[in-house]
Amino acid sequence: MVIREATMEDAQLLFDWRNDPVTRANSFHSEPLGWETHVAWLQQAVSRDDLHIFVVEDQEQPIGTFRLNRIDSGRAEISITVAPPCRGKGFGGQILTEAARVARDQLGYTCLQAHVKESNIASRKAFFRAGYTIASYVLELELK
């Protein structure tokens, strides 16, 4: 797997994944996103120090993305998306494992938190399999 920071060249890919019906149904912000809004957000996001967006590739094909949004010096909130054609193939767990490694080794975080809809069973299972536990209704992983 290759993990790389997202750039503006990823705008269309991230836009398509964000507006996928399954992604929207599992998101806390489920309304379709307009192109101009997305591009403005991405332009701002890729220049921030407290937000990192990564694209995950397998055999040179993008399979998903994860976002780490700093909460404080030791904690970040994680959000992941598995590309629609890659769902159900175990990539969610692999993305979570790689995200934890990047968060710990490259960004120095000691804890990741995730907010996952109760109805999003596949994501909840992937997070639990990756070692997350429920802490005050937030899925959390201590990075060691």
Side-chain angles (χ1 to χ4, degrees):
M1 288 190 147
V2 173
I3 312 297
R4 62 174 179 78
E5 290 225 39
T7 68
M8 289 307 297
E9 293 177 9
D10 296 306
Q12 186 67 55
L13 177 71
L14 297 173
F15 177 78
D16 292 344
W17 290 351
R18 166 58 181 85
N19 279 316
D20 170 73
V22 173
T23 301
R24 286 195 356 254
N26 289 319
S27 174
F28 287 99
H29 305 284
S30 59
E31 294 300 313
L33 189 64
W35 175 253
E36 294 80 14
T37 302
H38 170 70
V39 169
W41 172 82
L42 187 58
Q43 285 174 328
Q44 179 263 345
V46 297
S47 66
R48 289 173 52 180
D49 292 342
D50 64 335
L51 175 64
H52 296 272
I53 304 166
F54 296 89
V55 174
V56 182
E57 297 176 342
D58 184 56
Q59 299 179 13
E60 298 183 19
Q61 295 297 314
I63 61 164
T65 184
F66 65 91
R67 184 177 70 228
L68 299 171
N69 194 348
R70 183 172 52 226
I71 298 169
D72 57 36
S73 63
R75 297 178 303 150
E77 181 177 7
I78 182 172
S79 175
I80 75 165
T81 301
V82 177
C86 299
R87 293 182 184 140
K89 299 178 181 177
F91 287 121
Q94 292 176 43
I95 292 171
L96 287 171
T97 298
E98 291 302 313
R101 183 187 56 75
V102 168
R104 182 190 60 234
D105 297 347
Q106 294 180 24
L107 301 173
Y109 291 119
T110 58
C111 180
L112 294 177
Q113 294 182 347
H115 294 86
V116 180
K117 281 185 168 180
E118 194 169 328
S119 61
N120 188 350
I121 303 302
S123 286
R124 292 177 72 79
K125 285 181 180 180
F127 276 96
F128 288 137
R129 279 193 301 268
Y132 285 71
T133 59
I134 296 178
S136 300
Y137 302 102
V138 175
L139 297 173
E140 186 171 279
L141 173 68
E142 293 292 329
L143 303 175
K144 298 173 180 139

